[in-house]
Amino acid sequence: MPAPRPRVLLIAELCNPDWVSVPLEGWSLYRALAEVADVHLVTHVRNRENILKQGVLEGAGFTALDSTPVEKPLDKVGQLLRGTAGVGWTTATALSVLPYYYFEEVLWQRFGARIKAKEFDLVHRYTPISPTTPSTLARRCKAAGVPFVMGPLNGGLPWPKGFGGARRREKEWLSYVRDAYKLMPFYKSTRESAAAIITGSRATRGQVADTWQGKTVYVPENAIDTKRFGTSKSEGPVELPLRVAFVGRFVPYKGMAMLMEAAAPLIREGKVVLEYIGDGQEMPNLKAQAAREGIESGVTFAGWVKHQELQGRLSKNHVFGFPSVREFGGAVVCEAMALGLVPIVMDYGGPGEIVSPATGFAVPIGTPEEIVARVREVLTKLVADPSVIRPMGERARERIFKYFTWKAKAEQVLEVYRWVMGEREKPDWGMPLAD
């Protein structure tokens, strides 16, 4: 007889089918887990309308909680401290902790009695993903005899040397004292009381103290929605100029300027064209750089493209250039690989764990000058022999569809559930996942 489906109270404060980044991750894993477990979602009221549009019944399938009374004053403080939108994420995360404490308090008032009555086999806190955000629920669940699972947690990747200027332009002042989060209330009790800690990267796994490594499991953070990505692919013979795309927010740490500098000689020779998809504070600097390099005719700025339309735009390219130096997850790398693009990423953080030697190029981290030289070397090799691109791109697709779909992710998380429920040994898929 197959094992019964676990009854799961899934906490995803960030969970929205119409947004991107972490809110979309929250929604995607919820939908995938609902295929393998009996899941009741608890989320923020800001997500309510968009979830209802997806046909999920309020009360039966999900509950929306309102913690805005505590959030609004701190939102104003955050706007003053961060200034420019899209930067100062460490500050934003720090300011989100107090409202999140309140969110969990409201959650316990609504569900505490049901947890104590063991109406759920386990409680899983999925978002927030940041390892700096403690939980007031872990200790309460342990006292109730209900396993508390958290993660995949991801974040805290140190700034590499040589990027102090980018760090300041990102307004990452709190990153200099980031480890102070370990002094926050409930930090220790969260980890002591959790039945399982899922970490989404090697870097985050390294932040877990030895005391708690025995309850820690590695499951990469990101995955693709196969209904949005992978239904088409980059195909046909690869002829010069090599089409290289970047997708993301235009902020300093994403490495757009380094990518342009690396490609500039090849663009001038007519061997490479570069497409930037996205927008942000660095747009004027990038346009000025293209003019300074004399390569404006070989560089396209597409602006923001709707997520639902990104597949069509991205699949017209051959290579995905993404030299971000501080990327925790890298969902866009999964999306590009699902389309058969060959990725060029940094072997640092999430992207370096998504890309294997057979499926792309994970370039060693270094100074900005070293990164430019290493990315240029890869581009030069691909220009010299573009025949390697299609076979490598096909292997990239295979890797993503094997390990990095939400269905695959839900199946891995289900095995963690089975483990904390005493139905199997601790799962271990390797770190990073091998082809």
Side-chain angles (χ1 to χ4, degrees), residues 300-314:
T300 301
F301 293 96
W304 286 118
V305 173
K306 291 182 179 179
H307 197 248
Q308 292 87 342
E309 300 170 4
L310 182 58
Q311 174 175 249
R313 183 91 189 205
L314 196 52

Side-chain angles (χ1 to χ4, degrees), residues 177-255:
V177 291
R178 184 181 180 279
D179 279 354
Y181 79 89
K182 296 179 181 179
L183 303 176
M184 293 173 62
F186 303 103
Y187 166 79
K188 189 175 181 181
S189 68
T190 298
R191 284 149 179 80
E192 286 182 340
S193 301
I197 303 170
I198 308 174
T199 55
S201 68
R202 287 174 290 183
T204 305
R205 177 72 178 261
Q207 297 170 36
V208 178
D210 291 344
T211 307
W212 304 309
Q213 284 288 337
K215 63 174 72 175
T216 304
V217 178
Y218 171 81
V219 176
E221 174 192 341
N222 291 117
I224 64 160
D225 181 345
T226 55
K227 294 179 181 178
R228 292 190 184 185
F229 284 88
T231 56
S232 66
K233 65 178 180 177
S234 178
E235 53 190 353
V238 179
E239 299 176 349
L240 299 184
L242 195 69
R243 301 185 62 85
V244 182
F246 167 93
V247 179
R249 293 181 297 116
F250 288 10
V251 292
Y253 79 82
K254 295 284 185 177

Side-chain angles (χ1 to χ4, degrees), residues 35-114:
E35 297 295 321
V36 297
D38 295 334
V39 182
H40 187 90
L41 169 70
V42 183
T43 191
H44 193 283
V45 70
R46 73 172 78 89
N47 307 309
R48 179 177 178 273
E49 293 302 320
N50 291 344
I51 292 175
L52 286 171
K53 290 176 184 177
Q54 297 295 319
V56 184
L57 296 177
E58 189 168 13
F62 82 103
T63 298
L65 303 179
D66 188 1
S67 56
T68 52
V70 177
E71 290 169 10
K72 287 183 178 179
L74 290 171
D75 284 345
K76 294 179 181 178
V77 174
Q79 290 170 10
L80 289 172
L81 292 175
R82 297 173 70 193
T84 306
V87 298
W89 288 105
T90 305
T91 301
T93 301
L95 289 172
S96 71
V97 172
L98 285 177
Y100 186 72
Y101 282 154
Y102 180 70
F103 176 85
E104 286 201 348
E105 193 60 35
V106 174
L107 189 155
W108 184 255
Q109 291 172 10
R110 289 285 296 274
F111 287 93
R114 295 177 64 183

Side-chain angles (χ1 to χ4, degrees), residues 155-166:
L157 191 66
W159 278 87
K161 294 180 180 179
F163 288 89

